[in-house]
Amino acid sequence: MSDSKKTEVNEDTLEKLLYLSRLSPESTDMATLKKQVDDIVGYFDILSKYDDSENPYDAYPTTKADCLREDEIVAGLEMHDVKKINEGNFLDGYFQVPKVLGEGA
């Protein structure tokens, strides 16, 4: 990129940047600051050369609505069937499970 086509920040824009960043023109060297801002804008010019038309979501798997199961209501387990499956572990309407906490609890 030649310097003649390089994007530069004008004085008005630089003043607005100073205001937004809460810097005062008296507290900074304007020539140095202008060069730094122009360099940053130049980086964006470099980045804009690269093709970004690729969809970033293409990297993730897609799902199709027609591949999902139908939303149908089906019968669940009846309580007497659950009691038969877990005969020894069902007590007073609750399932008895092994102790999860250690000895001190």
Side-chain angles (χ1 to χ4, degrees):
M1 174 184 283
S2 67
D3 287 341
S4 63
K5 292 184 180 182
K6 184 176 179 181
T7 306
E8 291 187 4
V9 175
N10 61 24
E11 297 298 323
D12 184 47
T13 305
L14 189 58
E15 290 293 327
K16 290 177 183 176
L17 287 172
L18 285 172
Y19 174 75
L20 289 172
S21 62
R22 304 295 190 248
L23 293 173
S24 65
E26 299 84 30
S27 68
T28 184
D29 178 26
M30 293 296 283
T32 303
L33 184 64
K34 181 170 182 349
K35 181 185 178 319
Q36 291 172 344
V37 171
D38 286 339
D39 289 343
I40 292 170
V41 171
Y43 295 138
F44 285 102
D45 290 339
I46 292 169
L47 290 174
S48 67
K49 291 180 184 179
Y50 294 97
D51 179 26
D52 64 347
S53 62
E54 183 178 318
N55 187 352
Y57 296 106
D58 288 343
Y60 302 103
T62 59
T63 58
K64 296 180 183 176
D66 58 349
C67 294
L68 301 176
R69 65 175 172 82
E70 292 295 321
D71 196 15
E72 297 175 1
I73 299 173
V74 295
L77 295 174
E78 295 293 329
M79 190 54 78
H80 59 81
D81 294 331
V82 173
K83 288 179 184 179
K84 286 181 191 175
I85 295 171
N86 294 308
E87 283 181 47
N89 298 331
F90 198 78
L91 181 64
D92 294 333
Y94 296 99
F95 292 102
Q96 187 179 16
V97 295
K99 189 174 185 179
V100 178
L101 301 174
E103 291 181 9

